[in-house]
Amino acid sequence: MLTLVPERVDRILLLGAHCDDIAIGAGGALLELCRAHPGVAVSAIVLTGGGSLREEEERSALTAFCPGARLEMSVLDLPDGRLPVRWERAKLVLEELRAHVDPDVIFAPAPGDTHPDHQVLAELVPTVFRDHLTLGYELLTWDGDLGRANVFLPLAEPVLREKITKLHEHYGSQRDRSWFDAEAFGGIARARGVQCRARYAEAFHVTKLMLSVAPLTGVDPGD
C-alpha cells in the first residue's frame, strides 16, 4: 500500500449537497489538514439549507472543523431532495465557482453514492473541475452504498472522538436521526481502519489520479 503526502495544500474546496454532509464525510480530514497547514484557504459550497436553521448549524460546524483556516462559505437554498431537477442551477454554481477558485484538493460526494442529491453533485464536479484531485467522501445512508474505497486517511482515536463530539455539538437538528449517532460514525471509521492497517480511518473514492516522479516538462508523450 503506497503512502502519498501532498506537495502542497494552499486551498481546499468543500462541496456538499446538504448541511452536515461535508463534516460527516470528511470531518477528520479537515481537522488534520487545517492543523497541518495553518492559514489554509478553505472554500465551502452547500447547495441546500440556505436561510434555515441548517445553515446556522453548518456555518458553526465548518468553522469548528477548519481550525485556523481562512474559511469562505456559501449555503444555497436549492430544494432538498430535488437537485436532480435543478441540475442546471447546480452546474452554474460550480462553473461560477471554478472561475475564481483553483483548489489543490476537493472534497465532494463519492461517485456511486445513490442518494439522488449526492449523485448529482458527484457527477457534476468532474465536468467542471477536470484537472483537480477530488476525494469523494462517504455518507452512510439507508441505501447501503458505501462501496469499495481506494484512499484512506488514518485517524488517531482523539481525532475521531473530536469529530464525533463536534458533529453532535453543532448539528442538533439531526440528533434524532437513526443514522446520526456515535456508534454509526465510529463503526464506519473502525471498519475503514481495518482496511488500511489503522485503528480508525476516513475513506475516500478517487476515480482519476496522476502521479509524477519529477517536474513535468510539457513534452507531449505521444511525440
Side-chain angles (χ1 to χ4, degrees):
M1 183 163 53
L2 180 64
T3 299
L4 300 176
V5 178
E7 180 180 0
R8 65 169 193 169
V9 180
D10 296 327
R11 178 174 288 276
I12 300 170
L13 176 58
L14 310 177
L15 299 173
H18 313 105
C19 298
D20 77 18
D21 285 356
I22 296 167
I24 291 174
L30 290 178
L31 290 169
E32 296 280 63
L33 280 171
C34 291
R35 286 172 176 152
H37 302 273
V40 62
V42 178
S43 299
I45 295 287
V46 181
L47 296 180
T48 67
S52 70
L53 171 62
R54 299 301 308 280
E55 178 177 356
E56 295 177 17
E57 292 179 337
E58 186 74 338
R59 290 187 178 278
S60 174
L62 290 189
T63 298
F65 274 101
C66 299
R70 293 179 287 120
L71 176 63
E72 297 179 350
M73 187 188 327
S74 295
V75 181
L76 308 183
D77 60 356
L78 274 67
D80 187 353
R82 298 291 186 270
L83 292 187
V85 297
R86 300 300 177 96
W87 181 94
E88 188 171 337
R89 171 79 190 284
K91 171 87 167 182
L92 181 60
V93 168
L94 294 184
E95 290 176 340
E96 291 174 346
L97 182 66
R98 178 66 185 94
H100 65 272
V101 173
D102 187 23
D104 298 306
V105 60
I106 300 170
F107 289 93
D113 191 317
T114 58
H115 186 295
D117 288 350
H118 303 164
Q119 188 177 69
V120 165
L121 184 52
E123 291 174 352
L124 284 175
V125 171
T127 71
V128 178
F129 294 90
R130 294 180 175 272
D131 302 312
H132 297 78
L133 173 62
T134 300
L135 300 179
Y137 54 74
E138 302 184 304
L139 296 167
L140 179 62
T141 66
W142 181 85
D143 303 283
D145 52 0
L146 290 180
R148 179 177 293 180
N150 50 19
V151 176
F152 299 87
L153 177 68
L155 296 179
E157 185 173 351
V159 176
L160 176 62
R161 287 202 307 265
E162 181 181 5
K163 172 183 174 176
I164 294 173
T165 297
K166 289 185 185 299
L167 288 173
H168 282 81
E169 177 183 353
H170 294 283
Y171 295 110
S173 67
Q174 304 302 295
R175 292 177 193 145
D176 61 345
R177 305 280 187 168
S178 61
W179 45 266
F180 196 96
D181 61 42
E183 286 185 312
F185 300 138
I188 295 172
R190 179 69 188 106
R192 290 314 195 187
V194 168
Q195 296 175 328
C196 65
R197 301 189 186 279
R199 185 65 183 173
Y200 302 106
E202 283 180 342
F204 302 94
H205 301 249
V206 172
T207 56
K208 184 180 292 186
L209 178 67
M210 184 172 72
L211 299 177
S212 177
V213 297
L216 298 179
T217 62
V219 177
D220 187 341
D223 291 344

